[in-house]
């Protein structure tokens, strides 16, 4: 009888009276406050994920088939929002660290499979116009379809292609290209680029560029900072503004572009596995990329459910390099003409 007594004593020491392992309670037995503090999200959001992912997570071919979808989702949320496989969390759920890791892998892949469902540009004219109107309401910048930026996420040194993931600060990372709308909803997320690539090169090679040059709307543009080249569909700030119109343009550009910077900060605030406070992501570049994308999907779903991520308390900056870049000079005469027309029409 000594073993079960020891287990009970440890349970009381770790959690106090009234807390039970997950195999002894159901979601409805605990408060939203407990779920938010432990797993980052309230009950109804977790129920939605169970409905969304349950069939996938219950597939009989999975090694973790004995672990319920609900438990798998809680394990993954716990990792995404805390950044660690804490012994306490595994104990609270009644599963081992190895099982926790498998749960994270299963839920991550299930979310990645649904990325295009939740991360995409609008297609119907009414929604596109609403997108532009929302941006225009921020600082008077017309025609904006999204704001774009890159952010680095630190990863462990991969076994192969090591140098391609070493960034300018000598750290291993993935350089992630993101676009969001005026509410912070992600419209595009490419999370797989090696950290050695500068932002301008990432955009040049990205699927986003192909989309805008061959498929998407011709009557609007993205806003990007000076790490990108001016394009017909990507407006960048003027390097040295001289006229009042140019100053007004740059001010409106900066105020509007700030939305993506704010969005990236809040994603890292909610998903602490990305912010570097618990160290680098201890996975291969491919698996790390999928974890980042899964967090992006959850970010958009949380906004769909009215969870205001911008109200989260701010955290310190992620332990990653800030991109250092030289002013990019465009040689695209048509892009220069479009920006000049924008200056004359809306800022003069």
């Amino acid at each position: 009888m000594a073993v079960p007594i020891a287990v009970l004593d440890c349970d009381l020491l770790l959690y106090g009276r009234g807390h039970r392992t997950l195999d002894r309670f159901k979601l409805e037995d605990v408060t939203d406050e407990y779920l938010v503090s432990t797993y980052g999200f309230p009950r109804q959001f977790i129920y939605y994920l169970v409905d969304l992912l349950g069939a996938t997570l219950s597939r009989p071919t999975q090694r973790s088939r004995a672990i319920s979808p609900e438990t798998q989702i809680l394990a993954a949320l716990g990792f995404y929002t805390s950044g660690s496989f804490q012994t306490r969390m595994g104990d609270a759920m009644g599963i081992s660290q190895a099982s926790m890791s498998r749960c994270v892998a299963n839920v991550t892949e299930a979310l990645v499979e649904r990325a295009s469902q939740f991360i995409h540009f609008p297609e119907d004219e009414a929604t596109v116009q609403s997108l532009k109107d929302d941006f225009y309401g921020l600082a008077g910048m017309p025609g904006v379809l999204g704001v774009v930026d890159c952010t680095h996420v630190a990863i462990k040194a991969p076994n192969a292609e090591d140098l391609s993931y070493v960034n300018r600060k000598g750290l291993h990372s993935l350089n992630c290209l993101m676009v969001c709308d005026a509410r912070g909803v992600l419209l595009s997320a490419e999370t797989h680029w090696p950290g050695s690539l500068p932002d301008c090169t990432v955009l040049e090679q990205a699927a986003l560029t192909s989309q805008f040059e061959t498929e998407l709307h011709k009557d609007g543009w993205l806003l990007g900072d000076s790490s990108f080249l001016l394009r017909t569909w990507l407006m960048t700030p003027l390097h040295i503004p001289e006229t009042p119109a140019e100053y007004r343009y740059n001010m409106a550009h900066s105020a509007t572009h700030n939305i993506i910077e704010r969005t990236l900060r809040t994603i890292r605030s909610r998903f602490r596995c990305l912010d570097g406070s618990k160290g680098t992501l201890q996975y291969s570049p491919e698996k790390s990329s999928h974890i980042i994308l899964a967090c992006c999907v959850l970010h958009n779903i949380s906004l769909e459910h009215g969870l205001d991520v911008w109200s989260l308390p701010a955290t310190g900056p992620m332990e990653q390099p800030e991109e250092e870049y030289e002013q990019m000079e465009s040689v695209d005469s048509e892009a220069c003409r479009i920006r000049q027309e924008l200056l004359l029409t809306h800022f003069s």
Side-chain angles (χ1 to χ4, degrees):
M1 297 300 294
V3 171
I5 291 174
V7 171
L8 286 173
D9 286 344
C10 288
D11 202 43
L12 288 172
L13 285 171
L14 285 172
Y15 313 117
R17 297 184 184 277
H19 288 273
R20 295 162 290 174
T21 57
L22 272 185
D23 57 351
R24 300 175 195 166
F25 73 72
K26 297 181 180 180
L27 271 177
E28 56 266 26
D29 292 335
V30 295
T31 65
D32 262 3
E33 289 76 11
Y34 173 78
L35 291 172
V36 171
S37 66
T38 308
Y39 304 106
F41 293 94
R43 183 188 336 276
Q44 291 305 316
F45 183 88
I46 296 170
Y47 280 146
Y48 173 81
L49 292 181
V50 172
D51 289 340
L52 178 70
L53 308 177
T56 301
L57 297 176
S58 298
R59 288 183 298 203
T61 56
Q62 291 185 324
R63 293 176 61 188
S64 59
R65 59 190 178 278
I67 301 177
S68 69
E70 180 180 286
T71 299
Q72 292 185 63
I73 288 168
L74 288 172
L77 292 179
F79 169 72
Y80 298 147
T81 59
S82 73
S84 66
F85 295 117
Q86 306 175 55
T87 301
R88 172 170 177 167
M89 183 171 294
D91 289 345
M93 303 185 69
I95 60 177
S96 67
Q97 181 170 317
S99 293
M100 284 275 293
S101 182
R102 286 194 296 272
C103 290
V104 171
N106 293 340
V107 174
T108 294
E109 292 311 306
L111 288 168
V112 167
E113 288 175 5
R114 291 160 177 79
S116 62
Q117 177 182 344
F118 294 100
I119 303 175
H120 57 82
F121 281 90
E123 296 181 354
D124 64 281
E125 291 186 12
T127 307
V128 170
Q129 187 58 50
S130 177
L131 188 66
K132 295 179 183 179
D133 292 343
D134 289 344
F135 275 118
Y136 187 78
L138 294 175
M141 181 69 77
V144 180
L145 299 169
V147 284
V148 58
D149 207 352
C150 286
T151 187
H152 285 257
V153 175
I155 63 171
K156 73 172 184 178
N159 295 327
E161 299 183 79
D162 183 66
L163 292 180
S164 68
Y165 292 93
V166 178
N167 57 47
R168 295 180 65 165
K169 295 299 180 68
L171 305 174
H172 293 85
S173 67
L174 291 169
N175 195 2
C176 305
L177 181 71
M178 309 282 192
V179 181
C180 75
D181 69 10
R183 294 176 49 235
V185 175
L186 294 172
L187 305 174
S188 177
E190 298 186 35
T191 60
H192 62 282
W193 297 101
S196 65
L197 295 180
D199 293 359
C200 60
T201 304
V202 168
L203 181 62
E204 182 180 342
Q205 299 179 11
L208 179 69
T209 294
S210 176
Q211 288 176 327
F212 266 82
E213 291 186 345
T214 61
E215 303 172 19
L216 286 182
H217 320 284
K218 303 298 183 182
D219 56 345
W221 38 73
L222 303 178
L223 297 188
D225 63 22
S226 297
S227 64
F228 300 113
L229 280 169
L230 177 71
R231 300 170 183 262
T232 57
W233 50 268
L234 177 66
M235 294 292 104
T236 59
L238 290 146
H239 181 33
I240 304 176
E242 297 177 347
T243 69
E246 290 175 346
Y247 276 103
R248 285 191 288 269
Y249 167 85
N250 270 15
M251 290 178 64
H253 187 292
S254 177
T256 307
H257 186 264
N258 182 60
I259 294 296
I260 184 64
E261 298 167 6
R262 189 181 178 191
T263 297
L264 294 175
R265 286 196 301 269
T266 55
I267 288 174
R268 295 196 296 263
S269 294
R270 167 153 275 163
F271 302 106
R272 302 298 299 276
C273 68
L274 308 180
D275 77 352
S277 64
K278 302 292 184 181
T280 62
L281 283 175
Q282 297 297 303
Y283 296 91
S284 68
E286 180 182 11
K287 290 183 178 179
S288 295
S289 170
H290 286 184
I291 288 172
I292 301 166
L293 185 55
C295 290
C296 291
V297 172
L298 289 171
H299 167 78
N300 275 10
I301 296 175
S302 69
L303 288 176
E304 276 191 12
H305 283 73
L307 302 180
D308 182 7
V309 294
W310 287 350
S311 66
L312 293 172
T315 62
M318 186 170 65
E319 296 175 7
Q320 59 150 12
E322 291 299 323
E323 181 72 15
E324 298 175 2
Y325 55 79
E326 298 178 0
Q327 177 72 27
M328 304 297 294
E329 297 294 342
S330 177
V331 295
D332 187 333
S333 59
E334 179 63 12
C336 292
R337 184 196 66 78
I338 290 174
R339 185 169 65 180
Q340 188 62 29
E341 183 178 323
L342 182 60
L343 280 163
L344 293 173
T345 304
H346 293 278
F347 297 98
S348 296

